[in-house]
Amino acid sequence: MHPSFAPFVEPPYYVVIFTNQHAAPDDTDYHATGAEMEALAKTMPGYLGFESARGKDGFGFAISYWESEEAIKNWKRQADHLNAQRRGRSDWYEDYVVRVAKVERAYQMKRQTEATGDE
Amino acid sequence: MHPSFAPFVEPPYYVVIFTNQHAAPDDTDYHATGAEMEALAKTMPGYLGFESARGKDGFGFAISYWESEEAIKNWKRQADHLNAQRRGRSDWYEDYVVRVAKVERAYQMKRQTEATGDE
């Protein structure tokens, strides 16, 4: 599997879909904070994985996977993450939507093995 | 709200997160089929919206929103969509993961109004 993918985990678990339109895609500060937040998220209880992509137009997703809703709430309240959220609202994003959802089914296709959902 | 965003809908509803690594990002055939499938999805019962983004490295997401699991199953079985799925597996994607999840909470930030979740 390509390294951009989060590890495959059997449902059920939770996902936070952060859909956003970036105001300044080349902001160095933004990229540094993003990397810090990803490193910090990995240390949080219940963290399962992270994926992100952004197109040339600045529209993109940051998607994180969690064992439980409690783990998500805990991460949302984390102090450094609260600061990053504030910067996001004030400086980085034109618009965004956050969705919290419970993953009920999942399957995968890997080019090498054609396996589905049984990693 | 930027036009790349799906319409904001109050939960509960369902989401299909299609995470993929593209093998040939500049494939014209791929883009034409993607546009056709998006147009077709819009005609399906229970369709709520679609969003997508892909980075320069070919890693990206196609995310669709649906009223119910039944609507998702119906779309998965649609004949032209089945053909597109087959092409995706054989020609376009190196790896992919499909997750079906139930959206339980959602909120938004719009630059113009600072409104959250009450559009």
Side-chain angles (χ1 to χ4, degrees):
Chain A
M1 210 75 174
H2 191 277
S4 299
F5 286 85
F8 190 86
V9 175
E10 282 298 328
Y13 54 89
Y14 284 83
V15 56
V16 181
I17 308 168
F18 179 59
T19 308
N20 61 80
Q21 177 64 42
H22 202 293
D26 294 322
D27 187 323
T28 313
D29 213 20
Y30 168 77
H31 288 293
T33 306
E36 277 168 34
M37 288 306 108
E38 191 178 340
L40 184 61
K42 283 182 186 166
T43 71
M44 299 294 288
Y47 172 86
L48 295 176
F50 177 80
E51 295 169 339
S52 66
R54 183 180 309 286
K56 275 178 296 190
D57 59 355
F59 184 75
F61 301 97
I63 298 186
S64 58
Y65 303 99
W66 301 88
E67 280 177 7
S68 65
E69 285 214 88
E70 191 51 39
I72 291 170
K73 284 177 186 159
N74 196 30
W75 168 234
K76 189 169 153 69
R77 286 190 301 255
Q78 202 280 346
D80 292 338
H81 185 210
L82 280 175
N83 279 330
Q85 290 171 59
R86 218 168 283 133
R87 284 293 307 278
R89 280 192 297 273
S90 65
D91 299 342
W92 295 325
Y93 301 117
E94 282 179 21
D95 303 312
Y96 66 75
V97 178
V98 177
R99 292 179 177 91
V100 177
K102 184 178 187 179
V103 179
E104 298 180 345
R105 291 184 285 130
Y107 56 93
Q108 62 183 328
M109 194 277 288
K110 290 186 284 190
R111 181 58 62 193
Q112 297 85 344
T113 62
E114 295 280 323
T116 53
D118 54 2
E119 184 175 85
Chain B
M1 210 75 175
H2 191 279
S4 298
F5 285 85
F8 191 86
V9 175
E10 282 298 328
Y13 53 89
Y14 283 82
V15 56
V16 181
I17 307 168
F18 179 60
T19 308
N20 60 81
Q21 178 65 42
H22 201 292
D26 293 323
D27 188 324
T28 313
D29 213 19
Y30 169 76
H31 289 293
T33 305
E36 277 168 34
M37 287 306 108
E38 192 179 338
L40 185 61
K42 283 181 185 164
T43 70
M44 299 293 289
Y47 172 85
L48 294 176
F50 177 80
E51 295 169 340
S52 67
R54 184 180 308 286
K56 276 179 293 191
D57 59 355
F59 184 75
F61 301 97
I63 298 186
S64 58
Y65 302 100
W66 301 88
E67 281 177 8
S68 65
E69 286 215 87
E70 191 50 40
I72 292 170
K73 283 175 187 161
N74 196 30
W75 167 234
K76 191 169 151 66
R77 286 189 301 252
Q78 201 280 346
D80 292 338
H81 185 211
L82 280 175
N83 279 330
Q85 290 172 59
R86 219 168 283 132
R87 284 293 308 277
R89 281 192 297 273
S90 65
D91 299 343
W92 295 325
Y93 300 116
E94 281 180 22
D95 303 313
Y96 66 74
V97 178
V98 177
R99 293 179 177 90
V100 177
K102 184 179 186 177
V103 179
E104 298 180 345
R105 292 185 285 129
Y107 56 93
Q108 62 183 328
M109 194 277 287
K110 289 185 284 189
R111 181 57 63 193
Q112 297 85 344
T113 61
E114 295 279 324
T116 54
D118 54 3
E119 185 173 82

